[in-house]
Each structure stands twice: as C-alpha cells, then as structure tokens.
Amino acid sequence: FAVKKGQVINVTASGNRLMQGLKLFRLRQEAYLEEYLTDGNDKIMAAMLFGNKSGMDEETKELYRKNGIAHILAISGLHISLLGMSVYKVLLHLPMPKSCILIISGTFLVLYCLMVGITASAFRALIMFFFFLVSKWLKRSYDMITAMGFSAMVWLMLYPGYLFDCGFQLSYAAIMGIGIVLPVLTEITNSLKIKWLRKIIAVFLPSLSVNLMTAPILIYHYHELSFFSIALNLIVIPLMAPLLLCGVGMLALADLFGAVSSIPAGLC
C-alpha cells in the first residue's frame, strides 16, 4: 500500500522510553560519524553500523550491489555475529562470572537489534547467537544448522510471507552454504595430494560455498550474477571485523574523550 498526503491527527503524551532512548543514542552516534569521518565514508559507516542508507547516493549503492557486496551495507547476520562475538570475547578477559558475561552479551545484542531494527537476517543471527550462549551456559555442543532451523521456524510462524522474501532466502542460504556445502567441499579438497594447492583452494571455499547457495536466488530475483564477488568477498569479509571494531571504538571515544576518536577514525 502507499499513503499520500498523510496527516498527524493525534500525538500521545506517553511513549516507549526505551525505543526513544535508543533512537536518540543512534542519532548522536551518526552525528559523530559525520563529524569525524570524511564526506561519503560517514554515510557508508552509518549504513554498516546502524543500517541507515538514506544518506548514500544511488550510484554508490548500485556499485556495492553489482559487485556482490551490498550485504555489508545492511544490518545482516554478519554484523550481529561480529559485534556479539566481539563483546563476548572482550568480557571473557574481565574478572566476572561466566553467567554475567553471557547475560551482558545477550542483552547488548538485543538492545542493538532494537536500535537498528530487527530484520529477518538480524533475527536469525540473534537467535543463533542465543543458542551459542545457552550452549556455553549448559556446557553443551553448539549446532549451527539446528539453531538456524529453529530461528527460521519461529520467524515464519510470525511472518509466513517472508518465505518469499529475497533477504530472508539469501540469509538462510548463506548459512546453509557454510553448514552444509562447505564441509563437503573441504572433504573433497583434503583428498588432493598437493599440499600447497589444498591451501590455496581452502581460502576460496567459504566464499564459494556461500555463492553456490545464493547464486540461484540472486539470478531469480535480480536476473544477474557477479562472479567477481567470490574473490571480492575474500577481501571484504575479513576486513569487516576490524572496520566495525574501529567504528565502535571511534564512537566510544567520541562520547568520552572527543578529539581522541580521530585515531580510530583515520583507521576507518
């Protein structure tokens, strides 16, 4: 549906204070990005950290999409996993009970998802991360496919129409590539007798596994496929972790010490 000439007919005095606080916090952080990063880069970081692509020009967004790396501009499972695991690993080095570490990590991720918006991909990553935390709490093994299947079941019970959504399909296809296709390709590669060739091929296997699963979906929805994306994601995905950490570090320093944040800003 489309709404034209909409008007505000009533404004309530009360509101969701948590959501309002998170929105104000996000707007303040986006202002810091604009202050400390060069023009253009601030919009890209705003998209990566907060899912706000409104400031990016269409040419830049199209460039990311055509090269098969548009997923880094949306709050996806990759972002949630990186941030969640980073907080978890940092807290592990602090002198506190493991139960507190698990609770703080989970709470941080829930608040982050509420701030940026819970998409199908973010929900999947959130549920899978909770499965990981619970497995650590109960000292049980973590099974990625089980966690993925449970998150899909819950999301589709709430929103059945998402079964036909491109973002939903790509998110789960990527995990299936890592959990199902990658072990098979790894086993085939390990059968090669030439050691140096095995090592070279192994570098490409994760990206190849994901692309094999997502390629049919991309062709169906967008009628095009970038083979260059397989090689490009080998560079982009490993750099996402330090980039996001530098971005978060810059914003933390901007809140506390102001100008010191120019150091991580330069790294970004």
Side-chain angles (χ1 to χ4, degrees):
F1 298 92
V3 177
K4 296 180 180 178
K5 298 181 180 178
Q7 293 180 340
V8 178
I9 57 172
N10 185 36
V11 179
T12 58
S14 60
N16 189 321
R17 290 186 179 181
L18 174 62
M19 295 303 294
Q20 288 177 349
L22 289 173
K23 182 178 181 179
L24 290 173
F25 176 80
R26 177 176 62 81
L27 291 173
R28 187 166 71 249
Q29 305 311 305
E30 289 181 5
Y32 285 140
L33 290 176
E34 191 173 343
E35 181 179 352
Y36 291 105
L37 291 178
T38 56
D39 187 40
N41 289 333
D42 58 332
K43 308 303 182 187
I44 295 173
M45 283 301 293
M48 288 183 181
L49 286 171
F50 305 111
N52 182 9
K53 291 184 282 188
S54 60
M56 291 182 63
D57 59 84
E58 289 300 321
E59 185 180 351
T60 303
K61 286 191 279 189
E62 183 68 9
L63 190 63
Y64 275 81
R65 190 184 68 80
K66 282 197 170 184
N67 284 282
I69 56 170
H71 57 88
I72 69 173
L73 296 178
I75 301 300
S76 64
L78 176 64
H79 299 68
I80 304 294
S81 303
L82 286 173
L83 290 172
M85 289 304 299
S86 298
V87 171
Y88 174 74
K89 289 181 178 179
V90 168
L91 292 176
L92 280 177
H93 293 88
L94 299 178
M96 62 172 63
K98 195 168 186 179
S99 57
C100 291
I101 294 173
L102 298 176
I103 292 171
I104 293 172
S105 301
T107 303
F108 166 80
L109 217 52
V110 169
L111 291 174
Y112 178 73
C113 286
L114 288 174
M115 180 176 67
V116 300
I118 300 180
T119 61
S121 178
F123 180 80
R124 173 193 60 72
L126 184 63
I127 295 296
M128 292 181 70
F129 186 70
F130 271 113
F131 263 72
F132 169 78
L133 293 179
V134 171
S135 70
K136 293 295 182 184
W137 198 321
L138 301 178
K139 297 180 180 178
R140 300 288 295 272
S141 59
Y142 168 72
D143 184 67
M144 181 171 64
I145 301 299
T146 300
M148 179 201 73
F150 181 81
S151 67
M153 181 177 67
V154 173
W155 186 260
L156 290 176
M157 285 174 64
L158 296 171
Y159 311 105
Y162 265 89
L163 184 62
F164 307 100
D165 179 73
C166 178
F168 175 87
Q169 294 171 1
L170 288 173
S171 178
Y172 283 91
I175 296 299
M176 289 172 68
I178 296 296
I180 299 172
V181 179
L182 181 59
V184 176
L185 295 181
T186 302
E187 189 175 343
I188 294 172
T189 305
N190 289 339
S191 64
L192 296 174
K193 294 181 179 180
I194 306 173
K195 189 176 180 180
W196 62 268
L197 183 59
R198 286 204 309 267
K199 290 184 176 180
I200 293 174
I201 295 175
V203 174
F204 290 89
L205 289 184
S207 182
L208 179 62
S209 301
V210 170
N211 277 273
L212 284 173
M213 289 298 294
T214 57
I217 300 169
L218 290 170
I219 292 171
Y220 177 79
H221 286 282
Y222 298 110
H223 316 297
E224 63 180 10
L225 185 66
S226 171
F227 290 101
F228 183 62
S229 67
I230 298 176
L232 193 57
N233 274 293
L234 291 176
I235 303 169
V236 171
I237 292 178
L239 288 175
M240 277 293 291
L243 177 60
L244 289 177
L245 290 177
C246 282
V248 171
M250 180 194 71
L251 294 175
L253 289 173
D255 268 326
L256 297 173
F257 305 109
V260 182
S261 62
S262 59
I263 298 172
L267 293 173
C268 287

